[in-house]
Every structure is written in C-alpha cells, then in structure tokens.
C-alpha cells in the first residue's frame, strides 16, 4: 500500500517544517500528484487525515492536491502528452512531467512574540 507511505512522508515533511519554524499549528499542505505516479490521491488524503487525528499540531489541517498531467518530449522535437510512442517518429518519448509526488506548500501558524 504505497499510499500510506506517501501520506506518512507528507505528514512527516510538514511536521518537520512546522517544528523547524516554531509553528503552533499546521493548516494546509498542498501537493502535486503526477498522473503516472500510480498513486491514488484520494486515498492519500484519507490516510493523511487519519495520521493527523492524534497530533495537536495538525488539528484542522487539510491536504489539498493537484493532478499533474503527463508531459513528454522526444529527440525529434515532439512535445505533448503521448506516453509510449512518439506520433512523429515512433520512438519512445521521455516523460518530463507527470511522475512526481511533491509537497509544494505548507501553511503554518506561528505566535507573533
């Protein structure tokens, strides 16, 4: 179940960033999920919520995600979304976007002291 590992890694990344910045709370984590990452973002969101339930630092925290479409390029100059066969030359294009899972933003609260 790779989704649990991804959810935990997002939680741990946000927790580490919050502690390093003396946060009193984590409000929102934004993440990108590539279409080719083979991860179900809805399951990650559910598991992330379960991980946050017992952590006071994450009270009310939400995980927002964006699906990143596949983008490919080929040595012949083709750029598009064909994943397996370049429509111009028949070669295998290189996937340059759409495989990543990336935390893009973490919103935290801090005391103004």
């Amino acid at each position: 179940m790779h989704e649990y590992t991804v959810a935990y890694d997002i939680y741990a990344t946000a927790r580490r960033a919050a502690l390093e910045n003396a946060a009193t709370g984590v409000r929102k984590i934004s993440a990108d999920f590539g279409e080719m990452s083979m991860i179900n973002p809805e399951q990650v969101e559910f598991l992330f919520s379960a991980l946050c339930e017992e952590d006071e630092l994450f009270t009310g925290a939400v995980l927002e995600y964006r699906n990143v479409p596949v983008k490919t390029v080929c040595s012949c100059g083709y750029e598009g979304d064909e994943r397996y066969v370049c429509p111009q030359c028949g070669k295998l294009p290189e996937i340059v976007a759409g495989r990543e899972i990336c935390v893009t933003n973490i919103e935290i609260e801090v005391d103004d002291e």
Side-chain angles (χ1 to χ4, degrees), residues 1-11 31 33 37-52 63-65 101:
M1 187 156 149
H2 301 297
E3 282 80 1
Y4 178 80
T5 303
V6 171
Y8 182 80
D9 286 346
I10 291 170
Y11 166 80
F33 290 87
S37 67
M38 307 307 277
I39 294 292
N40 182 330
E42 290 87 11
Q43 287 181 347
V44 172
E45 183 179 26
F46 173 78
L47 292 165
F48 175 81
S49 295
L51 287 166
C52 294
L63 173 64
E64 291 184 351
Y65 60 88
I101 301 170

Side-chain angles (χ1 to χ4, degrees), residues 31-92:
D32 287 348
F33 290 87
E35 284 181 4
M36 296 287 289
S37 67
M38 307 307 277
I39 294 292
N40 182 330
E42 290 87 11
Q43 287 181 347
V44 172
E45 183 179 26
F46 173 78
L47 292 165
F48 175 81
S49 295
L51 287 166
C52 294
E53 282 180 1
E54 307 228 350
D55 191 335
E56 290 182 18
L57 191 60
F58 284 81
T59 300
V62 295
L63 173 64
E64 291 184 351
Y65 60 88
R66 179 177 69 114
N67 289 315
V68 178
V70 173
K71 181 179 176 187
T72 59
V73 296
C74 185
S75 58
C76 73
Y78 169 79
E79 292 184 18
D81 62 0
E82 179 55 51
R83 303 167 193 187
Y84 306 109
V85 178
C86 175
Q88 291 181 357
C89 71
K91 293 181 183 175
L92 180 66

